[in-house]
Amino acid sequence: MNAPTKTEDAFHELIHRNHMWGLWEIASQMTPQPRPEAVPHQWKWALLEEVARQSATAVPVGDERRAMQLFNPGLNGQWATTNTLIAAVQVLLPGEVARAHRHSPAAIRFIISGNGAYTAVEGEKVIMREGDLVLTPSWQWHDHGNETSETVVWMDGLDVPLTKALNCIFFEMHRNQKADHGKPVNGSKALYGHGHLAPTWVKERPRFSPLMLYSFEQTMDALNALRSSEGSPYDGISLEYTNPQTGGPVTPTIACRVQLLRKGEKLKARRVTGSSVFHVVRGKGRTVIDGKPFDWAKGDIIALPSWAPHAHENTGAEDAILFSISDRPVIEALGFYREELA
């Protein structure tokens, strides 16, 4: 390659000084395929459980929640588990209340251990049990409380990195420790939690699901009813939690899924655009991501970057169940979804 001339050097100095770069200088960033900075990573439950235990005495609950954020080691300290999602492990002790607040990032809670604590969302007190999925849609007042004698632990999932990248983060603390709890307890479940049957007199079609609680009991009933089905060669028996009014995802930015891997089942590999975070609800297995094996068991959490080849396998003596969140609603809405069989 010929050395640049004085004229060329002067030109580049001119444009750089004025905050411009030539496409010929940065064209390498237009890659043939996604190259996410996030890396596959696993947080073992043995570690998470110990962190949860120690946090109970090391961190008081005040205006902030006792939530340990899972930072992806490939993202240089960014508040992110993948490029678009953050997962965390939150702990609430008996008698505690996490102050009421609201934020523009959407959130989900998947209950890992403990029963009977609540999240109150826009006046509805939602009682949480192990395996339940609880929604906290964007900009809804919510507080968490534990009126039981059990310590309750759950996984948070939020679209914070995506919202932050769009410069759309808003946060507001409520003037009271608790917001209004005037609606019926588990009221949305009573109204909308009947599978494909939705109330005809409710005309609203919000962009997020009006059902705040997806019970683990109903989830297991659905998985067991399909256990003998062929399922997907890539996902096993995989179900998506949906908006009962529209059939769409539970939020515009976060999809939630649960999948059953039967004993001895070994799934095929593929890669898709968009990232996911997996939580092992039960069982043992192995997921190979980009050629690297991750052996998992109950309670583990795994980050899966966009376009990383991956395949799940049940290596245990019983069925395995994985819960996951992903950014697929955004990817599909923008027309960016692709998949490739590995």
Side-chain angles (χ1 to χ4, degrees):
M1 184 176 180
N2 295 330
T5 66
K6 289 184 178 180
T7 300
E8 290 171 338
D9 283 341
F11 172 74
H12 285 91
E13 182 183 349
L14 170 65
I15 63 173
H16 295 168
R17 188 170 63 246
N18 288 281
H19 312 292
M20 292 180 278
W21 288 81
L23 177 59
W24 57 91
E25 298 178 280
I26 60 172
S28 61
Q29 296 185 38
M30 192 69 76
T31 58
Q33 63 186 41
R35 293 179 182 171
E37 296 85 0
V39 297
H41 191 74
Q42 180 177 23
W43 290 266
K44 287 282 194 179
W45 176 243
L47 169 64
L48 296 175
E49 187 176 35
E50 178 61 17
V51 168
R53 186 189 67 80
Q54 291 193 28
S55 75
T57 54
V59 183
V61 167
D63 286 349
E64 294 301 331
R65 278 70 65 207
R66 188 189 291 108
M68 282 62 71
Q69 311 291 301
L70 306 183
F71 278 34
N72 190 290
L75 292 174
N76 298 316
Q78 293 182 49
W79 185 13
T81 308
T82 74
N83 287 74
T84 55
L85 300 167
I86 182 70
V89 173
Q90 186 162 173
V91 180
L92 202 61
L93 302 181
E96 289 185 330
V97 174
R99 188 180 179 89
H101 57 280
R102 61 181 178 177
H103 38 70
S104 52
I108 66 93
R109 329 283 173 187
F110 189 87
I111 314 309
I112 298 175
S113 64
N115 297 286
Y118 71 83
T119 289
V121 184
E122 284 292 314
E124 178 188 344
K125 203 170 180 179
V126 179
I127 308 301
M128 307 184 292
R129 303 186 66 81
E130 290 181 8
D132 287 353
L133 168 66
V134 177
L135 303 186
T136 309
S138 173
W139 209 236
Q140 304 281 289
W141 287 115
H142 57 283
D143 56 86
H144 314 297
N146 187 351
E147 299 171 336
T148 78
S149 59
E150 297 184 52
T151 296
V152 178
V153 181
W154 65 81
M155 184 185 90
D156 290 320
L158 297 93
D159 57 6
V160 165
L162 175 65
T163 310
K164 190 172 184 295
L166 295 171
N167 281 324
C168 292
I169 285 194
F170 292 86
F171 180 90
E172 184 178 359
M173 200 70 80
H174 200 282
R175 64 181 180 275
N176 301 320
Q177 187 182 38
K178 296 181 181 180
D180 172 60
H181 294 175
K183 294 180 181 178
V185 175
N186 286 352
S188 66
K189 186 175 186 295
L191 191 60
Y192 297 104
H194 307 289
H196 294 293
L197 301 173
T200 59
W201 63 90
V202 179
K203 304 304 181 184
E204 295 84 0
R205 295 293 186 271
R207 291 175 60 82
F208 56 82
S209 172
L211 177 60
M212 297 297 105
L213 173 65
Y214 295 76
S215 74
F216 189 58
E217 181 182 6
Q218 286 183 311
T219 300
M220 285 305 303
D221 286 345
L223 288 174
N224 287 328
L226 294 168
R227 192 183 183 285
S228 60
S229 300
E230 183 177 356
S232 164
Y234 308 99
D235 295 319
I237 304 298
S238 178
L239 302 175
E240 181 169 354
Y241 299 85
T242 59
N243 180 332
Q245 291 292 79
T246 67
V250 291
T251 81
T253 52
I254 303 174
C256 296
R257 293 188 174 189
V258 63
Q259 59 194 113
L260 171 68
L261 278 66
R262 292 156 289 200
K263 179 182 176 181
E265 191 164 22
K266 184 175 183 178
L267 301 175
K268 296 181 180 180
R270 69 171 175 180
R271 54 184 175 182
V272 302
T273 47
S275 59
S276 300
V277 179
F278 288 87
H279 165 67
V280 183
V281 182
R282 63 174 59 166
K284 293 183 178 181
R286 172 178 298 152
T287 298
V288 178
I289 305 176
D290 228 354
K292 181 179 179 181
F294 294 86
D295 290 306
W296 43 258
K298 177 179 169 61
D300 292 359
I301 296 176
I302 300 173
L304 174 67
S306 179
W307 208 240
H310 60 283
H312 304 300
E313 177 183 1
N314 184 339
T315 61
E318 60 179 1
D319 290 346
I321 298 175
L322 302 176
F323 169 81
S324 63
I325 59 173
S326 77
D327 51 17
R328 184 172 291 192
V330 178
I331 303 298
E332 291 185 337
L334 295 174
F336 290 152
Y337 183 76
R338 290 191 188 187
E339 62 179 64
E340 182 178 277
L341 309 184

